[in-house]
Amino acid sequence: MAIPEGQTGRESLIKKIEWLQHLQLTNEQIELVKQYRCLVDIHGFGFWEWNYTNQTFHCHGQLCLDAGYSQEEMDAIEHATEIRGLFYPDDLDRALAIVRQHVYHNSPIHFSFRMLKKCGEYMWVTTMATSLRDENNRITNIVGVIFDASQLRVTREALRTAELRLQRIMNASNDGIWEWSAKDKKVEFSDRVLHHLGFKSIEQLVKPGESTITAWMRRIHPEDLKAFKVEVKDCLTHRKALDFDYRIADRDGIYRWVRTRAHAKFNQKSQPVLISGTNIDITEIKLAQERLENARDQAEKANLSKSKFLSGMSQQLRTPMNAILGYAQLFEYDDNLTDDQRNNMHEVRKAGEHLIQLIDDVLDLSKIESGNITLANEPILVSEIVKDCITLSHPQANKYNVTLTAETGDTEPLFAECDRVRLKQVLLNLISNGIKYNRPSGWVNINVFFHNEDEICISVEDNGFGISEDKKDKLFQPFNRLGAEKTAIEGSGVGLVITKRLIEMMGGDISFYSQEGVGSCFEIYLKRCDDWAESDPSSLGKIMPEERKIHLSVSSPKTVLYIEDNPANIRLMEKLFRHVNNIELEIAQEPLLGVYKTRLILPDLILLDLEIPGFNGHELLEILSNDPSTADIPVVALSTNKSAELNNRLNANKENNAATGSPSDTQGQGSPSGSHPDGSDNEFLDINNAPQFYSYLVKPWNIEQIIGLLENLFGEKTVQ
Ligand code: ADP
């Protein structure tokens, strides 16, 4: 508190004590007066006394000074009516009414009003008073305290504004609010919580003598009640935020979906004190979700049956089409036909071939859409596929007089992770489009390059017709030929759809840019990978552990024939066999060459890749087993499709067992040892009930499997 100038607190006190001594009061009285004076000096407080008999009014205390008035000014007030001027006009009548009530009914005097400050502004003050009455109960004096309530008022205003805002938000959000308190074990609901269930008051929800929480849980759907209790327990014991959807019966017993979100408050002993939460009625959202899921299920079912129907139809159409085409070809060789008739037959044949192509495309598309297609993604040397595709596309390019070139980055072999057969299909389609939708003497160029560190790009660029802007967004729509159906250029309009889906199944992507009249460029992005046989340390590590050297003792020289078309796999196998003494590895890159070599060199073991396109491993095996000179050579099948092969074998096994009545046996017969060479049975599918193959190896195989196999057949293995 600031001390008035020229007068220290001590000087003032001495003066006051001298004055009190002058009144010749007792020490006790002086003490009392000193205490009273302390009260008077408290900032923000004042005292007033109204002599009701003669209507004089006295006011003193720090509040009057705080309001800018001097004590002299306050002392100058003589009549009670003079203080009316200190009231904000709107507040005066209310104040007088309260005083009147007190006079007649002795009701408490306690009110707030705006008091005029010396500077002309108003401040909020609160006053409380009581009265002294004579023996006739007539008021003689009214005495009161008055204090500064502006801060209180500001806080109360802020609180009220916040409350109103919250109320507005809650009303707008349609959320119900509730609070559970541990103290009285009661739940308080806002009206909205009750309205969600169609109740108007809490009494309608809660039965007499029942707790609110029991009444609430009584209505929860029996299937959701247990989970509800678990969620609440988690919230109370593990301080987990409560966020839970459940069904609860409304007033008419119809279940509605409610989402409850809440947080618990804990005391210092970690005991829950409060849980405060909100309820939202999510019935409409849940119903919409349900409708959506049903619609999706139905669409999926419809799509599946459509795919099944298409695939069935396509298969059915193929058989008669073969006959039609066969006879059409025969007619072309018939000398009895006139040139005109022969030309007509040629047209029939051409249309038939187109129809077959259409059937194949539709079949392919329906297989992809129904998920009936599995891809064998593996590291593929892209340049080789490109070269194959160029060779295969040359006749078509010549027919259209289009030049076909390729830049395959030969100096640096680029490997991509993809399915060999499907990549070929995709590229052949893009090249064919580049040729078909081109001008005479046009060109198509294929380029292979690094798109970025992780991806390889294969681009197929042409300087053909290009695609106009308005058609670009329809490019990958099934059966949309973008107007090409009006031309003589053959096509089905599904090639690009199939292409896109296949690339996506290989984990890649496709994009294009095109300008009408200038040309188009389609780019395929595929995951880049290193040749697992040469450089990928992780995959090679699996196959060729650096720290271990494998010694396989084979008493007499042996020969293994590997029938495989994939150069990467061939290199891998060659590399592996370099570590094995006394066993020679022979390679046949084509199945027929494999049969020829088998007869020529009579190998001690054949490793046969089952994924060579357009060839059936079982047929090759049949050829070998029908030939007495090769029948006893063990043939091991290499496949990427573990489950398919396993299922085939097991099914064959089951059928055999059903026929013979013997129990299922997946051990034994085929393999001499009757068990996995290295003791594990997870990768080495030794399903020996298989009548033909010696055993199956699932790609990517590892060194242990191959060495185990060789050891089984030819000798003993030592691992250092
Ligand atoms: P289609 O069997 O008709 O060739 P696609 O799905 O392969 O079916 O292609 C769809 C359509 O996209 C084609 O009919 C053609 O109009 C257009 N198109 C595809 N590739 C090219 C291209 N390289 N240049 C111009 N138009 C193309």
Side-chain angles (χ1 to χ4, degrees):
M1 188 200 312
I3 298 164
E5 260 190 359
Q7 192 185 47
T8 66
R10 189 176 152 69
E11 284 165 356
S12 140
L13 196 65
I14 292 168
K15 270 193 178 169
K16 282 166 190 164
I17 291 169
E18 280 170 358
W19 177 71
L20 289 170
Q21 280 167 347
H22 166 77
L23 288 176
Q24 293 189 330
L25 297 175
T26 64
N27 282 345
E28 270 173 24
Q29 285 169 325
I30 292 171
E31 245 349 276
L32 261 173
V33 172
K34 276 201 272 181
Q35 283 168 11
Y36 172 71
R37 283 240 46 102
C38 282
L39 285 177
V40 171
D41 285 343
I42 297 174
H43 264 289
F45 275 85
F47 300 90
W48 54 270
E49 187 180 358
W50 182 358
N51 188 320
Y52 212 68
T53 317
N54 61 17
Q55 290 297 315
T56 55
F57 193 91
H58 290 290
C59 187
H60 43 103
Q62 202 66 37
L63 179 77
C64 308
L65 304 175
D66 293 344
Y69 302 106
S70 66
Q71 190 56 51
E72 288 71 33
E73 281 173 305
M74 297 312 293
D75 289 346
I77 298 171
E78 285 183 353
H79 200 268
T81 49
E82 288 175 51
I83 63 152
R84 291 183 176 200
L86 294 177
F87 280 74
Y88 184 75
D90 288 357
D91 300 342
L92 182 62
D93 287 348
R94 210 177 115 255
L96 290 175
I98 290 171
V99 173
R100 261 199 302 278
Q101 281 289 318
H102 176 78
V103 172
Y104 297 120
H105 306 292
N106 208 18
S107 56
I109 299 177
H110 183 177
F111 62 91
S112 299
F113 66 97
R114 280 157 285 188
M115 185 178 113
L116 183 67
K117 293 204 284 188
K118 182 75 187 287
C119 63
E121 289 172 5
Y122 284 92
M123 69 190 280
W124 275 101
V125 292
T126 300
T127 187
M128 286 183 261
T130 186
S131 56
L132 302 173
R133 292 178 188 253
D134 62 15
E135 57 279 10
N136 298 321
N137 201 29
R138 268 201 297 263
I139 287 180
T140 57
N141 290 66
I142 301 178
V143 286
V145 288
I146 183 164
F147 54 86
D148 182 352
S150 32
Q151 201 49 48
L152 208 69
R153 196 84 197 172
V154 170
T155 313
R156 203 182 292 165
E157 278 299 319
L159 213 68
R160 175 115 190 93
T161 314
E163 240 171 48
L164 287 173
R165 188 181 304 132
L166 195 70
Q167 195 66 45
R168 279 197 306 274
I169 293 170
M170 295 315 295
N171 286 346
S173 76
N174 201 20
D175 287 4
I177 318 169
W178 56 267
E179 193 163 77
W180 170 85
S181 115
K183 208 164 128 205
D184 46 14
K185 301 269 181 293
K186 266 176 78 177
V187 189
E188 291 293 337
F189 287 146
S190 74
D191 288 349
R192 192 73 73 176
V193 173
L194 300 169
H195 294 171
H196 285 161
L197 303 188
F199 294 111
K200 288 202 172 75
S201 68
I202 190 85
E203 288 74 29
Q204 290 181 334
L205 170 75
V206 184
K207 287 180 186 164
E210 193 182 36
S211 77
T212 326
I213 186 73
T214 314
W216 189 260
M217 291 207 297
R218 181 164 47 78
R219 309 192 80 83
I220 294 179
H221 194 291
E223 284 171 19
D224 300 340
L225 186 59
K226 198 171 159 207
F228 177 84
K229 287 180 182 169
V230 170
E231 289 286 326
V232 174
K233 197 172 163 210
D234 266 4
C235 174
L236 292 175
T237 49
H238 303 119
R239 299 183 177 224
K240 217 183 105 192
L242 183 70
D243 190 344
F244 184 57
D245 301 351
Y246 55 96
R247 284 158 292 177
I248 184 158
D250 68 7
R251 200 179 169 181
D252 302 325
I254 296 165
Y255 282 107
R256 298 198 68 80
W257 276 97
V258 168
R259 180 175 186 183
T260 287
R261 277 180 288 188
H263 271 284
K265 234 181 116 183
F266 296 85
N267 63 16
Q268 282 172 336
K269 289 183 196 159
S270 285
Q271 291 159 333
V273 190
L274 282 175
I275 314 180
S276 321
T278 56
N279 279 6
I280 321 171
D281 186 338
I282 53 166
T283 313
E284 288 311 315
I285 299 172
K286 283 279 182 187
L287 289 178
Q289 212 169 308
E290 228 169 75
R291 283 195 293 271
L292 213 70
E293 274 164 18
N294 283 344
R296 195 200 52 210
D297 285 352
Q298 275 178 2
E300 271 172 12
K301 263 189 214 152
N303 199 25
L304 203 71
S305 34
K306 183 202 80 186
S307 299
K308 271 189 188 158
F309 171 77
L310 277 178
S311 127
M313 270 299 281
S314 309
Q315 305 274 25
Q316 296 293 323
L317 285 172
R318 253 188 163 284
T319 320
M321 274 314 298
N322 273 339
I324 294 170
L325 280 177
Y327 283 110
Q329 281 174 59
L330 277 182
F331 271 123
E332 283 180 30
Y333 292 100
D334 192 337
D335 289 339
N336 297 325
L337 295 184
T338 64
D339 279 353
D340 214 22
Q341 286 168 327
R342 193 170 292 115
N343 283 343
N344 290 346
M345 281 325 289
H346 181 69
E347 284 306 315
V348 170
R349 185 181 159 190
K350 248 178 70 183
E353 276 165 358
H354 183 207
L355 196 56
I356 282 273
Q357 185 58 47
L358 267 173
I359 292 170
D360 284 346
D361 284 350
V362 170
L363 196 63
D364 236 4
L365 186 63
S366 72
K367 262 195 214 157
I368 291 171
E369 291 204 325
S370 60
N372 272 339
I373 190 168
T374 34
L375 267 56
N377 289 342
E378 57 182 333
I380 296 292
L381 185 59
V382 177
S383 57
E384 284 198 5
I385 303 285
V386 171
K387 274 178 201 153
D388 282 358
C389 291
I390 297 257
T391 311
L392 289 169
S393 305
H394 263 309
Q396 191 191 15
N398 291 340
K399 188 175 148 197
Y400 282 79
N401 190 17
V402 168
T403 313
L404 203 52
T405 52
E407 293 156 37
T408 54
D410 277 345
T411 45
E412 192 178 2
L414 304 179
F415 285 84
E417 194 181 308
C418 55
D419 181 296
R420 193 179 176 72
V421 179
R422 296 300 178 175
L423 179 62
K424 246 186 201 174
Q425 179 182 351
V426 158
L427 279 178
L428 283 174
N429 181 47
L430 292 180
I431 295 170
S432 162
N433 281 352
I435 297 170
K436 281 192 304 183
Y437 305 108
N438 213 323
R439 66 197 90 219
S441 308
W443 52 259
V444 174
N445 182 38
I446 298 114
N447 207 343
V448 183
F449 55 92
F450 280 123
H451 177 55
N452 57 39
E453 250 187 38
D454 306 318
E455 282 176 320
I456 282 173
C457 176
I458 311 171
S459 70
V460 180
E461 195 178 355
D462 64 66
N463 68 338
F465 306 157
I467 299 159
S468 64
E469 281 306 314
D470 58 317
K471 288 179 181 159
K472 281 181 182 169
D473 58 336
K474 301 179 185 84
L475 191 65
F476 293 98
Q477 288 174 357
F479 304 105
N480 195 339
R481 297 201 63 209
L482 314 180
E485 67 278 11
K486 292 178 204 135
T487 67
I489 305 168
E490 278 174 4
S492 61
V494 291
L496 282 180
V497 186
I498 294 174
T499 294
K500 190 170 183 332
R501 303 259 164 92
L502 287 176
I503 288 168
E504 283 164 359
M505 286 173 82
M506 291 186 236
D509 204 357
I510 183 167
S511 75
F512 77 99
Y513 48 90
S514 181
Q515 201 179 335
E516 197 176 9
V518 177
S520 310
C521 182
F522 286 81
E523 289 189 341
I524 302 171
Y525 310 105
L526 291 169
K527 224 181 285 164
R528 176 199 167 181
C529 62
D530 295 309
D531 178 5
W532 62 347
E534 295 296 341
S535 44
D536 180 358
S538 58
S539 63
L540 196 60
K542 272 194 273 169
I543 296 155
M544 204 63 73
E546 282 297 313
E547 64 281 5
R548 296 201 294 169
K549 292 239 178 322
I550 284 143
H551 297 280
L552 184 69
S553 323
V554 180
S555 40
S556 56
K558 304 283 179 204
T559 309
V560 174
L561 176 66
Y562 183 29
I563 305 174
E564 164 71 279
D565 68 333
N566 185 332
N569 288 341
I570 293 172
R571 274 199 301 282
L572 172 64
M573 196 65 88
E574 282 172 342
K575 194 164 178 174
L576 196 155
F577 270 79
R578 259 181 252 145
H579 292 252
V580 183
N581 294 328
N582 238 358
I583 303 183
E584 199 67 40
L585 182 71
E586 285 286 336
I587 307 290
Q589 274 190 272
E590 274 176 37
L592 281 181
L593 191 65
V595 176
Y596 172 75
K597 274 201 170 182
T598 305
R599 285 178 180 156
L600 194 72
I601 60 175
L602 296 177
D604 302 283
L605 167 69
I606 296 171
L607 300 173
L608 173 62
D609 182 69
L610 286 189
E611 259 97 44
I612 301 177
F615 132 89
N616 183 331
H618 296 270
E619 276 173 20
L620 186 139
L621 196 67
E622 217 174 304
I623 297 171
L624 295 180
S625 49
N626 286 340
D627 180 342
S629 66
T630 55
D632 293 333
I633 300 172
V635 181
V636 172
L638 307 180
S639 163
T640 45
N641 193 348
K642 176 178 174 174
S643 52
E645 288 305 333
L646 181 61
N647 284 339
N648 278 348
R649 297 296 106 215
L650 288 176
N651 286 340
N653 201 17
K654 261 190 221 154
E655 278 162 23
N656 287 345
N657 291 337
T660 58
S662 67
S664 174
D665 173 19
T666 55
Q667 299 286 320
Q669 295 173 28
S671 163
S673 68
S675 65
H676 189 293
D678 69 359
S680 73
D681 59 3
N682 56 340
E683 291 297 328
F684 188 23
L685 292 180
D686 199 358
I687 307 301
N688 297 305
N689 209 22
Q692 305 100 337
F693 287 115
Y694 178 80
S695 64
Y696 283 83
L697 278 181
V698 176
K699 288 193 229 167
W701 30 263
N702 62 47
I703 191 165
E704 292 293 331
Q705 293 171 335
I706 299 283
I707 295 298
L709 180 71
L710 298 176
E711 179 211 7
N712 246 341
L713 286 164
F714 309 136
E716 282 174 13
K717 177 186 75 165
T718 46
V719 179
Q720 287 174 352

